[in-house]
Amino acid sequence: YVALLELRFQQGSSSVLDINQQRQQIQGLKAQQRTARQQRMLALQRLATLVGKAPDDTEALAAQIDALLLPELTSLPEAGVPADLLERRPDLRAAHYRLESANKKIAVAVRDRLPTLRLSLSTFLQALDIKNLLNDFFWSVGAAASQPLVDGGRRKQEVKRAEAVQDEAYYAYGNTLLTALTEVQTAIVSEHYQALFIEDLEEQYRLADTSLTLSRESYSRGRFDFLRVLTSLQALQQVEQNLIDARRRRLGHRLQLCRALGG
């Protein structure tokens, strides 16, 4: 691009400002390239450590990675994800054990209720206020499981203390479940809209590719100079970069969902 601008400058069709601005863009791209190479090298070192190799033994690993493509994601199940998968989370399991220690019947009722709760995109999009979901859940559990903790022969203050311990464990579990559901909600909704964004980018890529083809045909017929072709090519490359980054982000959202569900 710079070479063409310099040629046009010699012919009086371009200015020094145009050339200087394009050279400035080249320097910016070189800086981005160095940063990308640094990030790639650091990522390779971290991957080497994860697979049990020395951090400087990255050549073979780099060759394997260069041959890979971003994996294609399967769609989320339309029927939803069973909420009892959340019990694989260490924080929720710990909260459940504390609740079980305070009142075993309520803990059993909570566990029996979880398999009937399914987490799906439609659930979250129709009821983004997840407190309503939790309120329905805990009211049904609490109404079915509430009972006196001790007989009337115990001292009154001991009864109050035991009830307070039960309430603390009950609401601590509710708060932990709320956090887990919110993380699942965030991952599901984020992936949903990221998929829509990717569809828009794919359509934008198709249009940019068509524009490049048309600009090359027009150039070959002498309708305008090669700068228009290069401009179309730059636009197409920018969309390609955005598309790769968008697909990577969608993979990140799926990983967040797996982590939120406990693996």
Side-chain angles (χ1 to χ4, degrees), residues 171-242:
Y171 289 109
Y173 179 86
N175 183 68
T176 306
L177 180 61
L178 174 62
T179 300
L181 290 175
T182 301
E183 291 177 355
V184 173
Q185 174 193 23
T186 300
I188 290 179
V189 174
S190 297
E191 182 178 337
H192 170 72
Y193 285 106
Q194 190 68 20
L196 296 179
F197 178 60
I198 290 174
E199 291 179 2
D200 293 337
L201 283 178
E202 289 174 343
E203 177 62 19
Q204 185 179 357
Y205 175 83
R206 186 187 67 79
L207 294 173
D209 186 58
T210 302
S211 297
L212 177 60
T213 301
L214 293 175
S215 65
R216 282 173 172 166
E217 291 177 354
S218 298
Y219 168 73
S220 64
R221 296 172 183 174
R223 294 181 180 177
F224 46 69
D225 58 31
F226 197 68
L227 288 177
R228 296 282 294 273
V229 179
L230 288 178
T231 300
S232 298
L233 179 60
Q234 285 183 328
L236 179 64
Q237 290 175 341
Q238 184 61 54
V239 175
E240 284 181 319
Q241 293 177 16
N242 294 339

Side-chain angles (χ1 to χ4, degrees), residues 47 58 60 68 76 86 90-91 106-108 114 116 143 162 168 182 197:
L47 287 173
T58 58
L68 296 177
L76 292 171
L86 295 172
D91 56 342
I106 288 183
V108 172
L114 272 178
T116 66
E168 180 183 15
T182 301
F197 178 60

Side-chain angles (χ1 to χ4, degrees), residues 127-173:
L128 290 179
D129 187 1
I130 202 169
K131 291 186 295 185
N132 296 333
L133 187 65
L134 278 181
N135 286 338
D136 294 341
F137 174 74
F138 279 109
W139 273 115
S140 62
V141 170
S146 60
Q147 65 171 358
L149 288 177
V150 293
D151 296 332
R154 293 290 187 102
R155 292 181 301 173
K156 187 176 182 180
Q157 295 301 320
E158 178 62 21
V159 172
K160 291 183 177 180
R161 186 200 66 79
E163 290 176 344
V165 171
Q166 170 190 290
D167 290 342
E168 180 183 15
Y170 183 66
Y171 289 109
Y173 179 86

